[in-house]
Coordinates of all heavy atoms in Angstrom, one line a residue:
M1 N -10.0 -4.9 2.7 CA -9.2 -4.0 1.8 C -7.9 -4.6 1.4 O -7.5 -4.6 0.3 CB -8.9 -2.7 2.6 CG -8.1 -1.7 1.7 SD -7.7 -0.3 2.7 CE -6.0 -0.1 2.3
G2 N -7.2 -5.3 2.3 CA -5.9 -5.9 2.0 C -5.9 -6.9 1.0 O -5.0 -6.9 0.1
I3 N -6.8 -7.8 1.0 CA -6.9 -8.9 0.1 C -7.3 -8.4 -1.3 O -6.7 -8.8 -2.3 CB -8.0 -10.0 0.5 CG1 -7.5 -10.6 1.8 CG2 -8.2 -11.0 -0.6 CD1 -6.3 -11.4 1.7
K4 N -8.2 -7.4 -1.4 CA -8.6 -6.8 -2.7 C -7.4 -6.1 -3.3 O -7.2 -6.2 -4.5 CB -9.7 -5.8 -2.4 CG -10.1 -5.0 -3.6 CD -11.1 -5.7 -4.5 CE -11.7 -4.8 -5.5 NZ -11.2 -5.0 -6.8
V5 N -6.6 -5.4 -2.5 CA -5.4 -4.7 -3.0 C -4.4 -5.7 -3.6 O -3.9 -5.5 -4.7 CB -4.8 -3.7 -2.0 CG1 -3.5 -3.2 -2.4 CG2 -5.8 -2.6 -1.6
L6 N -4.2 -6.7 -2.8 CA -3.2 -7.7 -3.2 C -3.7 -8.4 -4.5 O -2.9 -8.6 -5.5 CB -3.0 -8.8 -2.1 CG -2.1 -9.9 -2.4 CD1 -0.6 -9.4 -2.7 CD2 -2.1 -10.9 -1.3
Y7 N -5.0 -8.7 -4.6 CA -5.6 -9.4 -5.8 C -5.5 -8.5 -7.0 O -5.1 -8.9 -8.1 CB -7.0 -9.7 -5.5 CG -7.7 -10.5 -6.6 CD1 -7.4 -11.8 -6.9 CD2 -8.6 -9.9 -7.5 CE1 -8.0 -12.5 -7.9 CE2 -9.2 -10.5 -8.5 CZ -8.9 -11.9 -8.7 OH -9.5 -12.5 -9.7
D8 N -5.8 -7.2 -6.8 CA -5.6 -6.3 -8.0 C -4.2 -6.1 -8.4 O -3.9 -6.0 -9.6 CB -6.2 -4.9 -7.6 CG -7.7 -4.9 -7.4 OD1 -8.4 -5.9 -8.0 OD2 -8.3 -4.0 -6.8
W9 N -3.3 -6.1 -7.4 CA -1.8 -6.0 -7.8 C -1.4 -7.2 -8.5 O -0.6 -7.1 -9.5 CB -1.0 -5.8 -6.5 CG 0.4 -5.9 -6.7 CD1 1.2 -4.9 -7.2 CD2 1.3 -7.0 -6.4 NE1 2.5 -5.3 -7.3 CE2 2.6 -6.6 -6.8 CE3 1.1 -8.2 -5.8 CZ2 3.7 -7.4 -6.6 CZ3 2.2 -9.1 -5.7 CH2 3.4 -8.7 -6.0
I10 N -1.8 -8.4 -8.1 CA -1.4 -9.6 -8.8 C -1.9 -9.7 -10.3 O -1.2 -10.2 -11.1 CB -1.9 -10.9 -8.1 CG1 -1.1 -11.1 -6.8 CG2 -1.9 -12.1 -8.9 CD1 0.3 -11.5 -7.0
L11 N -3.1 -9.1 -10.5 CA -3.6 -9.1 -11.9 C -3.1 -8.1 -12.8 O -3.4 -8.1 -14.0 CB -5.1 -9.0 -11.8 CG -5.9 -10.2 -11.1 CD1 -7.4 -9.9 -11.1 CD2 -5.5 -11.5 -11.8
Q12 N -2.2 -7.2 -12.3 CA -1.6 -6.2 -13.2 C -0.6 -6.8 -14.1 O 0.1 -7.8 -13.7 CB -0.9 -5.1 -12.3 CG -1.8 -4.2 -11.6 CD -1.0 -3.2 -10.8 OE1 0.2 -3.2 -10.7 NE2 -1.8 -2.3 -10.2
S13 N -0.5 -6.3 -15.3 CA 0.6 -6.6 -16.2 C 0.7 -8.1 -16.5 O -0.3 -8.8 -16.7 CB 1.9 -6.0 -15.7 OG 3.0 -6.3 -16.6
N14 N 1.9 -8.7 -16.4 CA 2.1 -10.1 -16.6 C 2.4 -10.8 -15.3 O 3.0 -11.9 -15.3 CB 3.2 -10.3 -17.7 CG 4.5 -9.8 -17.2 OD1 4.6 -9.0 -16.2 ND2 5.6 -10.2 -17.9
R15 N 1.9 -10.3 -14.2 CA 2.2 -10.9 -12.9 C 1.6 -12.3 -12.7 O 2.3 -13.1 -12.1 CB 1.8 -9.9 -11.8 CG 2.7 -8.7 -11.8 CD 2.9 -8.0 -10.5 NE 3.8 -6.9 -10.7 CZ 3.4 -5.6 -10.8 NH1 2.1 -5.3 -10.6 NH2 4.3 -4.7 -11.0
P16 N 0.5 -12.6 -13.3 CA 0.0 -14.0 -13.2 C 1.0 -15.0 -13.8 O 1.2 -16.1 -13.3 CB -1.3 -14.0 -13.9 CG -1.8 -12.6 -13.8 CD -0.6 -11.7 -13.8
A17 N 1.6 -14.6 -14.9 CA 2.6 -15.4 -15.5 C 3.8 -15.6 -14.6 O 4.4 -16.7 -14.5 CB 3.1 -14.9 -16.8
H18 N 4.2 -14.5 -13.9 CA 5.3 -14.6 -12.9 C 5.0 -15.5 -11.8 O 5.8 -16.3 -11.3 CB 5.7 -13.2 -12.4 CG 6.5 -12.4 -13.3 ND1 7.8 -12.4 -13.4 CD2 6.1 -11.5 -14.3 CE1 8.3 -11.6 -14.3 NE2 7.2 -11.0 -14.9
V19 N 3.7 -15.5 -11.3 CA 3.3 -16.3 -10.2 C 3.4 -17.8 -10.6 O 3.9 -18.7 -9.9 CB 1.9 -16.0 -9.7 CG1 1.4 -17.0 -8.7 CG2 1.9 -14.6 -9.1
K20 N 2.9 -18.1 -11.8 CA 2.9 -19.5 -12.3 C 4.3 -20.0 -12.5 O 4.6 -21.1 -12.2 CB 2.1 -19.5 -13.7 CG 0.6 -19.4 -13.5 CD -0.1 -19.4 -14.9 CE -1.5 -18.9 -14.8 NZ -2.1 -18.8 -16.1
A21 N 5.1 -19.1 -13.1 CA 6.5 -19.5 -13.4 C 7.3 -19.8 -12.0 O 8.0 -20.7 -11.9 CB 7.3 -18.5 -14.2
G22 N 7.0 -18.9 -11.1 CA 7.6 -19.1 -9.7 C 7.2 -20.4 -9.1 O 8.0 -21.1 -8.5
M23 N 5.9 -20.7 -9.2 CA 5.5 -21.9 -8.6 C 6.0 -23.1 -9.3 O 6.4 -24.1 -8.7 CB 3.9 -22.0 -8.6 CG 3.3 -21.2 -7.5 SD 3.9 -21.6 -5.8 CE 3.4 -23.3 -5.7
F24 N 6.2 -23.0 -10.6 CA 6.8 -24.1 -11.4 C 8.2 -24.4 -11.0 O 8.6 -25.5 -10.7 CB 6.7 -23.8 -12.9 CG 7.3 -24.9 -13.7 CD1 6.7 -26.1 -13.9 CD2 8.6 -24.7 -14.3 CE1 7.3 -27.1 -14.7 CE2 9.2 -25.7 -15.1 CZ 8.5 -26.9 -15.3
V25 N 9.0 -23.3 -10.9 CA 10.4 -23.5 -10.5 C 10.5 -24.0 -9.1 O 11.3 -25.0 -8.8 CB 11.2 -22.2 -10.6 CG1 12.6 -22.3 -10.0 CG2 11.3 -21.7 -12.0
F26 N 9.6 -23.5 -8.2 CA 9.6 -23.9 -6.8 C 9.3 -25.4 -6.6 O 10.0 -26.2 -6.0 CB 8.7 -23.1 -6.0 CG 8.6 -23.4 -4.5 CD1 9.6 -23.0 -3.7 CD2 7.5 -24.1 -4.0 CE1 9.5 -23.3 -2.3 CE2 7.4 -24.4 -2.7 CZ 8.5 -24.0 -1.8
V27 N 8.2 -25.8 -7.3 CA 7.8 -27.2 -7.2 C 8.8 -28.2 -7.8 O 9.1 -29.2 -7.2 CB 6.4 -27.4 -7.8 CG1 6.0 -28.9 -8.0 CG2 5.3 -26.7 -7.0
V28 N 9.4 -27.8 -8.9 CA 10.4 -28.7 -9.6 C 11.6 -28.9 -8.7 O 12.1 -30.0 -8.4 CB 10.8 -28.2 -11.0 CG1 12.0 -28.9 -11.5 CG2 9.6 -28.3 -11.9
M29 N 12.1 -27.8 -8.1 CA 13.2 -27.8 -7.2 C 12.9 -28.6 -5.9 O 13.7 -29.3 -5.4 CB 13.7 -26.4 -6.9 CG 14.6 -25.8 -7.9 SD 16.1 -26.9 -8.3 CE 16.9 -26.9 -6.8
L30 N 11.7 -28.4 -5.4 CA 11.3 -29.1 -4.2 C 11.2 -30.6 -4.4 O 11.7 -31.3 -3.6 CB 9.9 -28.5 -3.7 CG 9.4 -28.9 -2.4 CD1 10.4 -28.4 -1.3 CD2 8.0 -28.5 -2.1
V31 N 10.7 -31.0 -5.5 CA 10.6 -32.4 -5.8 C 12.0 -33.0 -6.0 O 12.4 -34.0 -5.5 CB 9.8 -32.7 -7.1 CG1 9.9 -34.1 -7.6 CG2 8.3 -32.4 -6.8
F32 N 12.9 -32.2 -6.7 CA 14.2 -32.7 -6.9 C 15.0 -32.8 -5.6 O 15.6 -33.8 -5.4 CB 15.0 -31.7 -7.9 CG 16.4 -32.0 -8.2 CD1 16.7 -33.1 -9.0 CD2 17.4 -31.4 -7.5 CE1 18.0 -33.4 -9.3 CE2 18.7 -31.7 -7.8 CZ 19.0 -32.7 -8.7
C33 N 14.9 -31.8 -4.8 CA 15.7 -31.8 -3.5 C 15.1 -32.9 -2.5 O 15.9 -33.6 -1.9 CB 15.7 -30.5 -2.9 SG 16.6 -29.2 -3.7
F34 N 13.8 -32.9 -2.4 CA 13.2 -33.7 -1.4 C 13.1 -35.2 -1.8 O 13.5 -36.0 -1.0 CB 11.8 -33.2 -1.0 CG 11.1 -33.9 0.1 CD1 11.6 -33.9 1.4 CD2 9.9 -34.6 -0.2 CE1 11.0 -34.6 2.4 CE2 9.3 -35.3 0.8 CZ 9.8 -35.3 2.1
L35 N 12.6 -35.4 -3.0 CA 12.4 -36.8 -3.4 C 13.7 -37.4 -4.0 O 14.0 -38.6 -3.7 CB 11.3 -36.9 -4.4 CG 9.9 -36.5 -3.8 CD1 8.9 -36.6 -4.9 CD2 9.5 -37.4 -2.6
L36 N 14.4 -36.7 -4.8 CA 15.5 -37.3 -5.5 C 16.8 -37.3 -4.7 O 17.6 -38.2 -4.7 CB 15.7 -36.7 -6.9 CG 14.6 -36.9 -7.8 CD1 14.9 -36.2 -9.1 CD2 14.3 -38.4 -8.1
L37 N 17.1 -36.1 -4.0 CA 18.3 -36.0 -3.2 C 18.1 -36.4 -1.8 O 19.1 -36.7 -1.1 CB 18.8 -34.6 -3.3 CG 19.2 -34.0 -4.6 CD1 19.7 -32.6 -4.5 CD2 20.3 -34.9 -5.2
G38 N 16.9 -36.5 -1.3 CA 16.6 -37.0 0.1 C 16.9 -35.9 1.1 O 17.1 -36.3 2.3
I39 N 16.9 -34.6 0.8 CA 17.1 -33.6 1.7 C 15.8 -33.4 2.5 O 14.7 -33.5 1.9 CB 17.5 -32.3 1.0 CG1 18.8 -32.5 0.2 CG2 17.7 -31.1 2.0 CD1 19.2 -31.3 -0.7
D40 N 15.8 -33.1 3.8 CA 14.6 -32.9 4.5 C 13.8 -31.8 4.0 O 14.3 -30.9 3.3 CB 14.8 -32.8 6.0 CG 15.5 -31.5 6.4 OD1 14.8 -30.4 6.3 OD2 16.6 -31.5 6.8
F41 N 12.5 -31.8 4.3 CA 11.5 -30.9 3.6 C 11.8 -29.4 3.8 O 11.7 -28.7 2.9 CB 10.1 -31.3 4.0 CG 9.0 -30.6 3.2 CD1 8.7 -31.0 2.0 CD2 8.4 -29.4 3.7 CE1 7.8 -30.4 1.2 CE2 7.5 -28.8 2.9 CZ 7.1 -29.2 1.7
C42 N 12.1 -29.0 5.0 CA 12.3 -27.6 5.3 C 13.5 -27.1 4.5 O 13.5 -26.0 3.9 CB 12.5 -27.4 6.8 SG 11.0 -27.5 7.7
K43 N 14.6 -27.8 4.5 CA 15.8 -27.4 3.8 C 15.5 -27.4 2.3 O 16.0 -26.5 1.6 CB 17.0 -28.3 4.1 CG 17.5 -28.1 5.5 CD 18.7 -29.1 5.8 CE 19.1 -28.9 7.3 NZ 20.1 -29.9 7.7
S44 N 14.8 -28.4 1.8 CA 14.4 -28.4 0.4 C 13.6 -27.2 0.0 O 13.8 -26.6 -1.0 CB 13.6 -29.7 0.1 OG 14.4 -30.8 0.3
A45 N 12.7 -26.8 0.9 CA 11.8 -25.6 0.7 C 12.7 -24.3 0.6 O 12.5 -23.5 -0.3 CB 10.7 -25.5 1.7
I46 N 13.7 -24.2 1.5 CA 14.6 -23.1 1.5 C 15.4 -23.0 0.2 O 15.6 -22.0 -0.4 CB 15.4 -23.1 2.8 CG1 14.6 -22.8 4.0 CG2 16.5 -22.0 2.7 CD1 15.3 -23.1 5.3
V47 N 15.9 -24.2 -0.2 CA 16.7 -24.2 -1.4 C 15.9 -23.9 -2.6 O 16.3 -23.1 -3.5 CB 17.4 -25.6 -1.6 CG1 17.9 -25.8 -3.0 CG2 18.4 -25.9 -0.5
S48 N 14.6 -24.4 -2.6 CA 13.7 -24.1 -3.7 C 13.3 -22.7 -3.8 O 13.2 -22.1 -4.9 CB 12.5 -25.0 -3.6 OG 12.8 -26.3 -3.6
L49 N 13.1 -22.0 -2.6 CA 12.8 -20.6 -2.6 C 13.9 -19.8 -3.1 O 13.8 -18.8 -3.9 CB 12.4 -20.2 -1.2 CG 12.1 -18.7 -1.0 CD1 10.9 -18.2 -1.9 CD2 11.8 -18.4 0.5
T50 N 15.1 -20.1 -2.7 CA 16.3 -19.4 -3.1 C 16.5 -19.5 -4.6 O 16.8 -18.6 -5.3 CB 17.6 -20.0 -2.4 OG1 17.4 -19.9 -1.0 CG2 18.8 -19.2 -2.8
T51 N 16.3 -20.7 -5.2 CA 16.4 -21.0 -6.6 C 15.4 -20.1 -7.4 O 15.7 -19.5 -8.4 CB 16.2 -22.5 -6.9 OG1 17.2 -23.2 -6.2 CG2 16.4 -22.7 -8.4
T52 N 14.2 -20.1 -6.8 CA 13.1 -19.3 -7.5 C 13.4 -17.8 -7.5 O 13.2 -17.1 -8.5 CB 11.8 -19.5 -6.7 OG1 11.5 -20.9 -6.7 CG2 10.6 -18.8 -7.4
A53 N 14.0 -17.3 -6.4 CA 14.4 -15.9 -6.3 C 15.5 -15.6 -7.3 O 15.4 -14.6 -8.0 CB 14.8 -15.6 -4.9
I54 N 16.5 -16.5 -7.4 CA 17.6 -16.3 -8.3 C 17.0 -16.3 -9.7 O 17.4 -15.4 -10.6 CB 18.7 -17.3 -8.1 CG1 19.4 -17.1 -6.8 CG2 19.6 -17.3 -9.3 CD1 20.3 -18.2 -6.4
A55 N 16.1 -17.2 -10.1 CA 15.6 -17.3 -11.4 C 14.8 -16.0 -11.7 O 14.9 -15.4 -12.8 CB 14.7 -18.5 -11.5
A56 N 14.0 -15.5 -10.8 CA 13.2 -14.3 -11.0 C 14.1 -13.1 -11.2 O 13.9 -12.2 -12.1 CB 12.3 -14.0 -9.8
I57 N 15.2 -12.9 -10.5 CA 16.1 -11.8 -10.6 C 16.8 -11.9 -12.0 O 17.0 -10.9 -12.6 CB 17.1 -11.8 -9.4 CG1 16.3 -11.4 -8.2 CG2 18.2 -10.8 -9.7 CD1 17.1 -11.5 -6.9
V58 N 17.2 -13.1 -12.4 CA 17.9 -13.3 -13.6 C 17.0 -12.9 -14.8 O 17.4 -12.2 -15.7 CB 18.4 -14.7 -13.8 CG1 18.8 -15.0 -15.2 CG2 19.6 -15.0 -12.8
V59 N 15.7 -13.3 -14.7 CA 14.8 -13.0 -15.8 C 14.6 -11.4 -15.9 O 14.6 -10.9 -17.0 CB 13.4 -13.6 -15.5 CG1 12.3 -13.0 -16.4 CG2 13.5 -15.1 -15.8
E60 N 14.5 -10.8 -14.8 CA 14.3 -9.3 -14.8 C 15.6 -8.7 -15.3 O 15.6 -7.6 -16.0 CB 14.0 -8.8 -13.4 CG 12.6 -9.1 -13.0 CD 11.5 -8.6 -13.9 OE1 11.6 -7.4 -14.3 OE2 10.6 -9.3 -14.3
Y61 N 16.8 -9.2 -14.9 CA 18.0 -8.7 -15.4 C 18.1 -8.8 -17.0 O 18.5 -7.8 -17.7 CB 19.2 -9.4 -14.8 CG 20.6 -8.9 -15.3 CD1 21.1 -7.7 -14.9 CD2 21.3 -9.7 -16.1 CE1 22.3 -7.2 -15.3 CE2 22.5 -9.2 -16.6 CZ 23.0 -8.0 -16.2 OH 24.2 -7.6 -16.7
I62 N 17.7 -9.9 -17.5 CA 17.7 -10.1 -18.9 C 16.8 -9.2 -19.6 O 17.1 -8.6 -20.6 CB 17.4 -11.6 -19.3 CG1 18.6 -12.5 -18.8 CG2 17.1 -11.8 -20.8 CD1 18.2 -14.0 -18.9
Q63 N 15.6 -9.0 -19.0 CA 14.7 -8.0 -19.6 C 15.2 -6.6 -19.6 O 15.0 -5.8 -20.5 CB 13.3 -8.0 -18.8 CG 12.5 -9.3 -19.1 CD 11.2 -9.3 -18.3 OE1 11.0 -8.5 -17.4 NE2 10.3 -10.2 -18.6
K64 N 16.0 -6.2 -18.5 CA 16.6 -4.9 -18.4 C 17.7 -4.8 -19.6 O 17.8 -3.7 -20.2 CB 17.3 -4.7 -17.1 CG 17.9 -3.3 -17.0 CD 18.5 -3.1 -15.6 CE 19.1 -1.7 -15.6 NZ 19.9 -1.4 -14.5
K65 N 18.4 -5.8 -19.8 CA 19.4 -5.8 -20.9 C 18.8 -5.7 -22.2 O 19.4 -5.2 -23.2 CB 20.3 -7.1 -20.8 CG 21.2 -7.1 -19.7 CD 22.2 -6.0 -19.8 CE 23.6 -6.4 -19.4 NZ 24.5 -5.4 -19.6
C66 N 17.5 -6.1 -22.4 CA 16.8 -6.0 -23.6 C 16.1 -4.6 -23.8 O 15.3 -4.5 -24.7 CB 15.8 -7.1 -23.8 SG 16.6 -8.7 -24.0
G67 N 16.3 -3.7 -22.8 CA 15.7 -2.4 -22.9 C 14.5 -2.2 -22.1 O 13.9 -1.1 -22.1
F68 N 14.0 -3.1 -21.3 CA 12.9 -2.9 -20.4 C 13.4 -2.5 -19.1 O 14.6 -2.4 -18.8 CB 12.1 -4.2 -20.3 CG 11.5 -4.7 -21.6 CD1 12.1 -5.7 -22.3 CD2 10.3 -4.2 -22.1 CE1 11.6 -6.1 -23.5 CE2 9.8 -4.6 -23.3 CZ 10.4 -5.6 -24.0
I69 N 12.5 -2.2 -18.2 CA 12.9 -1.7 -16.8 C 13.0 -2.9 -15.9 O 12.3 -3.9 -16.1 CB 11.9 -0.7 -16.3 CG1 10.5 -1.2 -16.1 CG2 11.9 0.6 -17.1 CD1 9.6 -0.4 -15.3
F70 N 13.8 -2.9 -14.9 CA 13.9 -3.9 -13.9 C 12.8 -3.7 -12.9 O 12.7 -2.7 -12.3 CB 15.3 -3.8 -13.2 CG 15.6 -5.0 -12.4 CD1 16.4 -6.0 -12.8 CD2 15.1 -5.1 -11.1 CE1 16.7 -7.1 -12.0 CE2 15.4 -6.2 -10.3 CZ 16.2 -7.2 -10.8
D71 N 11.9 -4.6 -12.8 CA 10.7 -4.5 -12.0 C 10.8 -5.4 -10.8 O 10.6 -6.6 -10.9 CB 9.5 -4.8 -12.8 CG 8.2 -4.4 -12.1 OD1 8.2 -3.9 -11.0 OD2 7.1 -4.5 -12.8
W72 N 11.1 -4.8 -9.6 CA 11.1 -5.6 -8.4 C 9.8 -6.2 -8.0 O 9.7 -7.2 -7.3 CB 11.7 -4.7 -7.3 CG 13.2 -4.6 -7.3 CD1 13.8 -3.5 -7.7 CD2 14.1 -5.5 -7.0 NE1 15.2 -3.7 -7.7 CE2 15.4 -5.0 -7.2 CE3 14.1 -6.9 -6.6 CZ2 16.6 -5.7 -7.0 CZ3 15.3 -7.6 -6.4 CH2 16.5 -6.9 -6.6
L73 N 8.7 -5.5 -8.5 CA 7.4 -6.1 -8.1 C 7.1 -7.4 -8.9 O 6.4 -8.3 -8.4 CB 6.3 -5.0 -8.5 CG 6.3 -3.8 -7.6 CD1 5.3 -2.8 -8.1 CD2 6.1 -4.1 -6.2
D74 N 7.7 -7.5 -10.1 CA 7.6 -8.8 -10.8 C 8.4 -9.9 -10.0 O 8.0 -11.0 -9.9 CB 8.1 -8.7 -12.2 CG 7.1 -8.0 -13.1 OD1 6.0 -7.8 -12.7 OD2 7.5 -7.6 -14.2
V75 N 9.6 -9.5 -9.5 CA 10.3 -10.5 -8.7 C 9.5 -10.9 -7.5 O 9.5 -12.1 -7.1 CB 11.7 -9.9 -8.3 CG1 12.5 -10.8 -7.3 CG2 12.5 -9.6 -9.5
L76 N 8.9 -9.9 -6.8 CA 8.1 -10.2 -5.6 C 6.9 -11.1 -6.0 O 6.6 -12.0 -5.3 CB 7.6 -8.9 -5.0 CG 6.7 -9.1 -3.8 CD1 7.5 -9.7 -2.7 CD2 6.2 -7.7 -3.4
A77 N 6.3 -10.9 -7.1 CA 5.2 -11.7 -7.6 C 5.6 -13.2 -7.8 O 4.9 -14.1 -7.5 CB 4.5 -11.2 -8.8
T78 N 6.9 -13.3 -8.3 CA 7.4 -14.6 -8.6 C 7.7 -15.4 -7.3 O 7.4 -16.6 -7.3 CB 8.7 -14.5 -9.4 OG1 8.4 -13.7 -10.6 CG2 9.2 -15.8 -9.9
V79 N 8.1 -14.8 -6.3 CA 8.5 -15.5 -5.1 C 7.5 -15.4 -4.0 O 7.7 -16.0 -2.9 CB 9.9 -15.0 -4.5 CG1 11.0 -15.2 -5.5 CG2 9.8 -13.5 -4.1
L80 N 6.3 -14.8 -4.2 CA 5.3 -14.6 -3.2 C 4.7 -15.9 -2.7 O 4.9 -16.2 -1.5 CB 4.2 -13.7 -3.8 CG 3.0 -13.4 -2.8 CD1 3.5 -12.6 -1.6 CD2 1.9 -12.7 -3.5
L81 N 4.2 -16.7 -3.6 CA 3.6 -18.0 -3.1 C 4.7 -19.0 -2.6 O 4.5 -19.6 -1.6 CB 2.8 -18.6 -4.2 CG 1.4 -18.0 -4.5 CD1 0.7 -18.6 -5.6 CD2 0.6 -17.9 -3.2
P82 N 5.8 -19.2 -3.3 CA 6.9 -20.0 -2.8 C 7.4 -19.6 -1.4 O 7.6 -20.4 -0.5 CB 8.0 -19.9 -3.8 CG 7.3 -19.7 -5.1 CD 6.2 -18.7 -4.7
G83 N 7.4 -18.2 -1.2 CA 7.8 -17.7 0.1 C 6.9 -18.1 1.2 O 7.2 -18.5 2.3
L84 N 5.6 -17.9 0.9 CA 4.5 -18.3 1.9 C 4.5 -19.7 2.2 O 4.4 -20.1 3.3 CB 3.2 -17.8 1.4 CG 2.9 -16.3 1.3 CD1 1.6 -16.0 0.6 CD2 2.9 -15.7 2.7
I85 N 4.7 -20.6 1.2 CA 4.7 -22.0 1.4 C 5.9 -22.4 2.2 O 5.8 -23.2 3.2 CB 4.8 -22.8 0.0 CG1 3.4 -22.6 -0.7 CG2 5.1 -24.2 0.2 CD1 3.4 -23.0 -2.1
T86 N 7.1 -21.8 2.0 CA 8.3 -22.1 2.7 C 8.1 -21.7 4.2 O 8.4 -22.5 5.1 CB 9.5 -21.4 2.1 OG1 9.7 -21.8 0.8 CG2 10.8 -21.7 2.9
V87 N 7.6 -20.5 4.4 CA 7.4 -20.0 5.8 C 6.4 -20.9 6.6 O 6.7 -21.3 7.7 CB 6.9 -18.5 5.8 CG1 6.5 -18.1 7.2 CG2 8.1 -17.6 5.4
F88 N 5.3 -21.2 5.9 CA 4.3 -22.1 6.6 C 4.8 -23.5 6.8 O 4.5 -24.1 7.9 CB 3.0 -22.1 5.8 CG 2.2 -20.8 5.9 CD1 1.7 -20.2 4.8 CD2 2.0 -20.2 7.2 CE1 1.0 -19.0 4.9 CE2 1.3 -19.0 7.3 CZ 0.8 -18.4 6.2
S89 N 5.6 -24.0 5.9 CA 6.1 -25.4 6.1 C 7.1 -25.4 7.2 O 7.1 -26.3 8.0 CB 6.7 -25.9 4.8 OG 7.8 -25.2 4.4
I90 N 7.9 -24.4 7.3 CA 8.9 -24.3 8.5 C 8.1 -24.2 9.8 O 8.5 -24.8 10.8 CB 9.9 -23.2 8.2 CG1 10.8 -23.6 7.1 CG2 10.7 -22.9 9.5 CD1 11.7 -22.4 6.6
L91 N 7.1 -23.3 9.8 CA 6.3 -23.1 11.0 C 5.6 -24.4 11.5 O 5.6 -24.8 12.6 CB 5.3 -22.0 10.9 CG 5.9 -20.6 10.8 CD1 4.7 -19.6 10.5 CD2 6.6 -20.3 12.1
V92 N 5.1 -25.1 10.5 CA 4.4 -26.4 10.8 C 5.3 -27.4 11.3 O 5.1 -28.1 12.3 CB 3.6 -26.9 9.6 CG1 3.1 -28.3 9.8 CG2 2.4 -26.0 9.3
V93 N 6.5 -27.6 10.7 CA 7.5 -28.6 11.1 C 8.1 -28.3 12.4 O 8.3 -29.2 13.3 CB 8.5 -28.8 10.0 CG1 9.7 -29.6 10.5 CG2 7.9 -29.4 8.8
T94 N 8.4 -27.0 12.7 CA 9.1 -26.7 14.0 C 8.1 -26.6 15.2 O 8.6 -26.6 16.3 CB 9.8 -25.3 13.8 OG1 8.9 -24.3 13.4 CG2 11.0 -25.5 12.8
L95 N 6.8 -26.4 14.9 CA 5.9 -26.3 16.1 C 5.4 -27.7 16.4 O 5.3 -28.6 16.5 CB 4.7 -25.4 15.7 CG 5.1 -24.0 15.5 CD1 3.9 -23.1 15.1 CD2 5.7 -23.4 16.8

């Protein structure tokens, strides 16, 4: 039941676009921090997740200013996969 509910929720509205955009921002920031700046992987993942969350909130704020509603579920869809990747990478590195 849980996976089906999550899958149906992700497919609502434009949430697949939010998931793709969130992963794009996360991967670009992760590459920038880890490879170009030389920050260790866990810290790079945290910085990338934070950047992705800020970008998602800003997009929703701009949409609200244009007359749409601020949708926290879109923000959640944007940071869902980057958040899971960050948590799992920290768990793997610290264990």
Side-chain angles (χ1 to χ4, degrees):
M1 178 185 135
I3 297 295
K4 173 87 169 103
V5 171
L6 180 63
Y7 183 74
D8 290 342
W9 172 75
I10 285 291
L11 293 180
Q12 288 178 357
S13 183
N14 63 346
R15 294 207 178 106
H18 282 272
V19 171
K20 290 176 190 173
M23 282 305 298
F24 177 75
V25 171
F26 181 76
V27 168
V28 167
M29 280 303 297
L30 191 64
V31 167
F32 180 75
C33 291
F34 184 63
L35 296 179
L36 298 178
L37 296 180
I39 302 172
D40 69 72
F41 189 79
C42 287
K43 290 179 183 175
S44 295
I46 292 169
V47 168
S48 301
L49 176 61
T50 305
T51 304
T52 304
I54 291 169
I57 291 169
V58 167
V59 166
E60 288 301 315
Y61 178 75
I62 290 170
Q63 287 179 349
K64 182 179 180 193
K65 288 297 219 178
C66 292
F68 299 99
I69 61 168
F70 192 98
D71 191 358
W72 282 105
L73 294 177
D74 284 347
V75 174
L76 180 61
T78 306
V79 299
L80 181 66
L81 288 179
L84 290 174
I85 292 169
T86 301
V87 168
F88 287 132
S89 65
I90 291 172
L91 287 175
V92 166
V93 169
T94 57
L95 295 178

